[in-house]
Amino acid sequence: MRYIFIAFVFLISCKQKQDLSHSALIPKPVSITNGTGAFTLTGASSIYMNGSEELQKIGEYLSGKLKPATGFDLKTTVGTSSRGSIYLSLSGADAKLGEEGYTLNISDSGVHLLANRAAGIFRGVQTLLQLLPASIEQSSKQNGPWEIAAGTIEDYPSYSFRGSMLDVARHFFSVEDVKHYIDLIAFYKINVLHLHLSDDQGWRIEIKSWPNLTAHGGSTEVGGGKGGFYTQEQYKDIVNYAASRYITVIPEIDLPGHTNAALASYAELNCNDTATALYTKTEVGFSTFCAKKDITYKFIDDVVRELAAITPGPYIHLGGDESHATAKDDYILFINKIQGIPKKYGKKMIGWEEIAQSNLDSSTVVQFWTDPKYANEAVNKGAKMILSPATKVYLDMKYDSTTKLGLDWAARIEIDSSYIWSLSTAVKGLSPKNILGVEAPLWTETISSFDDIEYMVFPRLPGIAEIGWSPEEGKSWEEYKVRLGKHGPRMKAMNINFYRSRQVPWE
Ligand code: TNX
């Protein structure tokens, strides 16, 4: 009897392995239909592409991803597919898949990935990677077989904006770190990287017309370390790397508060014409630009002009949060005045929720973080919103009382809490038509190494990526936590220092 039971369990688990619909994909696709049989990737497989240079690059990216673990050196070829191969194509996809959607057809004869745009192919490639055994992420040769159950996945995002923010001002992170971070978030179909490039503790982007910003203002960080900054060339390198992963970079210069690094670098930006001292602690809300001086606006114009010239994406973020040292009238005057600047250089402005108090330009986007009153004020003025509810998506919040890193002013956010919420109901008074999407910030007052970044971001970010990408209906924590548990070996293979939450049944 016992043996029959074991055989039965064995059969069931084999069956599940065969089913495409049992794959642990994050974010969860819109639909999965099972087929019969399976596709096996072998050394004789090729990657075929129809058309563009962009697809060629994605083909090479895929071949590069598959190489270390499989040991296969898969050829990328323009042409139609042959048996046993992977085929990437920009023709024949359904229009409803939009810019980032894709259809993935898997059968014993091959894998066909179709999309309207290269971005969709890139997102579909992430799905394909997640369908292979977790060991595909290892950096050395592993045993196959490299099998994927047959079937069809049709998939597209619910929201067009799915962002991750990295604060490189409180602690500076190198170009290499940022590129590595881009690779990690691309795996979960994140499409925006917001870089918080200036704050009280540091100015991190070269501005040629104001060189002391980085020479002096970039010379330290929280705790008094040596800080650092990106030259414009390095920033362009980051932007291009992100673009190759279909991720848009949004640079942020935080104004008029959170500006001590600039105020320490240039005396004339202060109302009393006296430069402040550099600051390496973690208080907020004590610094402000001088709203009544013309030089302030000349400065912002120069900064935005230089930044816009090296930022291909549509947005420049100009902060606006926690300006407790700016008189309210000055704050409103200031925000009203600066909104025209990104526009002048062909960009849309984003600001944190407090900017809702000003006269919002029709193109200005507002980022909610804590106060629904501001969010409602913003949408009443016609603004579109990015939602970053601090109690759910602030990745610098501790998991629980024992977490050594992080802060807890908004909440302690365990994995269930960061997953169990939805964009359409997050802020009373807002509906999906007001919402561009979601963004999860990582503020780095307490985060000083890449290991720290990984520990706070994983595994919360994958769930937040799913909130932005996957349909709200049918979402369930009980189902998700099992899927996330299956990502444990994958994150391990990727060498991610993730938080092993006890809420998750890790495999
Ligand atoms: C609030 S949220 C801030 C940041 C801090 C963060 C710490 C927001 C727009 N401002 O300056 O780093 O809290 O959690």
Side-chain angles (χ1 to χ4, degrees):
M1 186 62 197
R2 208 164 122 215
Y3 292 109
I4 293 172
F5 179 72
I6 290 169
F8 180 71
V9 168
F10 180 73
L11 276 174
I12 297 251
S13 60
C14 286
K15 172 92 181 69
Q16 291 202 343
K17 229 185 195 155
Q18 289 298 309
D19 274 3
L20 190 66
S21 59
H22 284 101
S23 311
L25 295 167
I26 302 177
K28 189 179 188 168
V30 173
S31 84
I32 307 182
T33 317
N34 290 327
T36 46
F39 168 77
T40 307
L41 188 79
T42 70
S45 303
S46 282
I47 300 170
Y48 287 90
M49 285 111 0
N50 88 332
S52 74
E53 210 172 288
E54 250 188 306
L55 277 201
Q56 177 78 25
K57 286 209 181 106
I58 298 175
E60 282 158 17
Y61 162 89
L62 175 58
S63 175
K65 290 288 276 186
L66 297 173
K67 190 173 174 179
T70 62
F72 307 152
D73 205 350
L74 302 185
K75 278 202 300 290
T76 58
T77 314
V78 176
T80 41
S81 187
S82 69
R83 244 193 111 70
S85 291
I86 298 171
Y87 180 52
L88 315 178
S89 170
L90 289 178
S91 66
D94 194 324
K96 80 159 186 260
L97 298 174
E99 303 267 322
E100 289 183 283
Y102 62 91
T103 303
L104 188 58
N105 272 304
I106 300 143
S107 72
D108 49 10
S109 66
V111 170
H112 283 207
L113 178 54
L114 309 183
N116 294 309
R117 295 286 161 85
I121 298 288
F122 187 82
R123 305 291 174 238
V125 161
Q126 306 312 313
T127 302
L128 183 58
L129 291 169
Q130 290 194 10
L131 289 171
L132 286 161
S135 54
I136 196 70
E137 295 297 335
Q138 297 276 4
S139 54
S140 62
K141 200 168 171 304
Q142 307 293 310
N143 291 326
W146 305 105
E147 225 177 65
I148 305 174
T152 301
I153 295 179
E154 194 178 68
D155 199 16
Y156 48 87
S158 293
Y159 290 89
S160 63
F161 190 115
R162 304 173 310 280
S164 167
M165 191 208 84
L166 192 58
D167 170 7
V168 295
R170 269 54 176 273
H171 280 100
F172 181 66
F173 294 92
S174 69
V175 173
E176 284 319 303
D177 281 348
V178 176
K179 286 184 175 175
H180 185 191
Y181 190 66
I182 288 169
D183 278 329
L184 298 183
I185 65 179
F187 194 55
Y188 296 99
K189 301 185 172 72
I190 292 289
N191 67 354
V192 169
L193 175 66
H194 167 181
L195 290 174
H196 185 75
L197 289 169
S198 73
D199 213 301
D200 292 316
Q201 299 85 348
W203 185 285
R204 309 295 179 208
I205 179 73
E206 175 189 24
I207 300 296
K208 296 187 188 205
S209 52
W210 295 78
N212 213 35
L213 288 172
T214 44
H216 186 61
S219 66
T220 192
E221 62 184 10
V222 167
K226 72 176 177 23
F229 66 92
Y230 310 121
T231 64
Q232 294 198 358
E233 286 308 308
Q234 288 174 322
Y235 173 83
K236 285 195 245 174
D237 185 28
I238 291 173
V239 166
N240 287 335
Y241 193 82
S244 73
R245 272 76 178 141
Y246 296 86
I247 290 176
T248 302
V249 171
I250 299 180
E252 178 186 357
I253 300 298
D254 204 349
L255 319 160
H258 291 278
T259 43
N260 187 70
L263 294 167
S265 306
Y266 287 98
E268 60 267 46
L269 295 176
N270 295 268
C271 276
N272 65 3
D273 289 312
T274 310
T276 58
L278 290 170
Y279 182 74
T280 60
K281 297 206 190 74
T282 60
E283 293 299 308
V284 296
F286 61 88
S287 57
T288 182
F289 276 166
C290 194
K292 295 196 170 72
K293 274 185 164 182
D294 290 340
I295 187 77
T296 301
Y297 302 97
K298 161 87 172 88
F299 170 83
I300 298 167
D301 194 286
D302 285 340
V303 169
V304 172
R305 173 174 42 76
E306 290 196 33
L307 210 46
I310 52 175
T311 301
Y315 298 113
I316 302 274
H317 200 309
L318 290 181
D321 59 312
E322 298 174 315
S323 257
H324 309 317
T326 321
K328 186 167 175 180
D329 290 352
D330 281 353
Y331 178 82
I332 291 171
L333 169 89
F334 178 91
I335 301 295
N336 285 344
K337 277 181 92 153
I338 65 170
Q339 278 182 79
I341 302 175
K343 211 173 178 178
K344 174 172 163 198
Y345 296 108
K347 303 294 175 190
K348 295 178 194 164
M349 173 170 151
I350 304 177
W352 296 104
E353 65 192 22
E354 291 96 320
I355 70 162
Q357 300 167 87
S358 70
N359 301 327
L360 295 178
D361 182 271
S362 61
S363 66
T364 300
V365 171
V366 178
Q367 185 164 8
F368 167 79
W369 59 283
T370 190
D371 192 339
K373 181 186 85 211
Y374 288 137
N376 278 279
E377 199 170 347
V379 300
N380 289 338
K381 292 178 179 177
K384 291 266 191 274
M385 304 287 304
I386 298 161
L387 302 192
S388 301
T391 54
K392 294 291 174 188
V393 305
Y394 266 35
L395 300 176
D396 63 321
M397 293 297 124
K398 291 177 183 292
Y399 291 103
D400 63 21
S401 62
T402 67
T403 311
K404 293 205 177 66
L405 298 167
L407 306 173
D408 58 6
W409 65 263
R412 290 179 187 139
I413 312 177
E414 253 292 357
I415 314 308
D416 59 350
S417 173
S418 72
Y419 183 77
I420 304 173
W421 67 284
S422 70
L423 283 165
S424 68
T425 57
V427 186
K428 215 169 162 222
L430 267 56
S431 66
K433 70 173 191 312
N434 309 121
I435 301 168
L436 292 178
V438 64
E439 183 183 289
L442 181 66
W443 303 100
T444 58
E445 286 96 329
T446 64
I447 309 299
S448 59
S449 69
F450 202 82
D451 263 12
D452 293 354
I453 292 181
E454 289 180 332
Y455 188 78
M456 298 308 273
V457 170
F458 294 95
R460 286 183 288 200
L461 188 67
I464 296 163
E466 176 155 311
I467 282 168
W469 180 283
S470 308
E472 277 178 18
E473 317 79 67
K475 259 188 57 179
S476 132
W477 161 248
E478 294 303 322
E479 182 273 333
Y480 174 71
K481 72 178 183 192
V482 175
R483 215 159 10 99
L484 180 59
K486 293 183 181 163
H487 269 242
R490 211 165 278 276
M491 289 191 284
K492 233 189 241 167
M494 292 165 92
N495 238 337
I496 297 177
N497 176 39
F498 64 98
Y499 164 58
R500 270 80 168 166
S501 169
R502 285 204 300 224
Q503 295 185 328
V504 179
W506 299 109
E507 273 190 5

